[in-house]
Amino acid sequence: DVKVTQSSRYLVKRTGEKVFLECVQDMDHENMFWYRQDPGLGLRLIYFSYDVKMKEKGDIPEGYSVSREKKERFSLILESASTNQTSMYLCMVAGGETQYFGPGTRLLVL
Amino acid sequence: AQSVTQPDIHITVSEGASLELRCNYSYGATPYLFWYVQSPGQGLQLLLKYFSGDTLVQGIKGFEAEFKRSQSSFNLRKPSVHWSDAAEYFCAVGPYNFNKFYFGSGTKLNVKP
């Protein structure tokens, strides 16, 4: 089974801090995604990557950036965290007609 | 533009009753369609998926879904709901190469005893 790990389960940051969320997969899948999940809004796509150094914006990229320097690792960066970025962040890896989710990072921005 | 619509935010059914959760999609290419379930505090679990072929697909936990291209729908059904089915359900759509993937806003299912 593919394993998808995220660097933190819970994170508390202050407004204005730079925040790094990391997602690592243990298989050789090309497609990796970052979503945020908010009550009543479902999962909204922030960014995705289909290969090393390749990235595309999703529906809500503002205030976020991403990095994919190695195939197994996809990082989400909040350049200057704001309170409206308090959310659950989910990493997804897609490959072989199946999707695999990380456990999620619950981020609180104070 | 690609999108997935789940028109029902909350649904309440009695235990033993039948269930249908609606999903409509807008997608420019041939869609791959999925249903996921998320129990409170848990991650997303794949219930079933449709790629091609028979438009009625069977999934885990007794769920099934029917793809209707003419209606751009992929509704989830279960003949008899159990209390353990109370959860949030998400419909999703993606292309054949999975380089983009969109989720609906979810439907919360409440099961009455």
Side-chain angles (χ1 to χ4, degrees):
Chain A
D1 252 3
V2 173
K3 192 170 181 186
V4 181
T5 57
Q6 294 184 227
S7 45
S8 306
R9 291 299 301 272
Y10 300 94
L11 213 50
V12 180
K13 295 292 181 181
R14 297 209 174 272
T15 303
E17 281 192 77
K18 192 167 186 175
V19 182
F20 292 87
L21 304 181
E22 194 167 68
C23 175
V24 180
Q25 58 157 319
D26 66 354
M27 290 292 287
D28 199 32
H29 292 314
E30 283 82 16
N31 300 318
M32 299 184 74
F33 304 75
W34 275 108
Y35 293 90
R36 60 177 285 176
Q37 184 178 13
D38 301 288
L41 296 176
L43 281 76
R44 291 179 291 166
L45 181 61
I46 304 172
Y47 267 98
F48 67 98
S49 169
Y50 49 90
D51 206 344
V52 174
K53 297 192 187 296
M54 306 302 283
K55 60 187 179 186
E56 279 201 33
K57 294 179 180 179
D59 294 327
I60 51 164
E62 297 78 19
Y64 303 94
S65 61
V66 290
S67 171
R68 186 130 180 238
E69 296 297 317
K70 293 185 178 181
K71 194 170 188 178
E72 68 270 19
R73 201 174 295 264
F74 189 36
S75 300
L76 179 70
I77 303 151
L78 287 65
E79 297 289 345
S80 177
S82 63
T83 54
N84 63 13
Q85 292 179 309
T86 290
S87 186
M88 170 70 89
Y89 290 87
L90 287 173
C91 175
M92 186 182 85
V93 177
E97 299 179 347
T98 304
Q99 302 78 45
Y100 307 90
F101 289 90
T105 296
R106 191 167 291 281
L107 172 67
L108 172 62
V109 182
L110 299 173
Chain B
Q2 297 90 342
S3 67
V4 180
T5 302
Q6 293 180 247
D8 303 306
I9 300 172
H10 287 102
I11 281 186
T12 298
V13 300
S14 298
E15 192 167 15
S18 63
L19 170 71
E20 183 170 30
L21 302 183
R22 295 182 290 165
C23 173
N24 292 96
Y25 67 90
S26 172
Y27 204 74
T30 301
Y32 285 2
L33 295 154
F34 305 81
W35 274 100
Y36 291 86
V37 61
Q38 186 178 38
S39 299
Q42 303 296 311
L44 281 93
Q45 181 181 20
L46 179 67
L47 283 174
L48 47 80
K49 56 189 176 185
Y50 172 78
F51 292 157
S52 64
D54 192 346
T55 56
L56 185 63
V57 292
Q58 303 297 321
I60 62 170
K61 304 186 179 189
F63 285 92
E64 65 178 27
E66 187 171 13
F67 171 58
K68 292 186 177 179
R69 185 184 298 274
S70 61
Q71 298 176 18
S72 297
S73 70
F74 189 56
N75 294 348
L76 182 71
R77 301 195 293 248
K78 188 169 184 178
S80 177
V81 169
H82 188 262
W83 63 265
S84 60
D85 293 325
E88 191 161 19
Y89 292 79
F90 294 94
C91 181
V93 63
Y96 74 96
N97 58 355
F98 301 100
N99 68 354
K100 266 194 180 182
F101 213 74
Y102 291 92
F103 287 83
S105 55
T107 298
K108 275 194 179 165
L109 174 64
N110 184 39
V111 180
K112 288 191 301 186

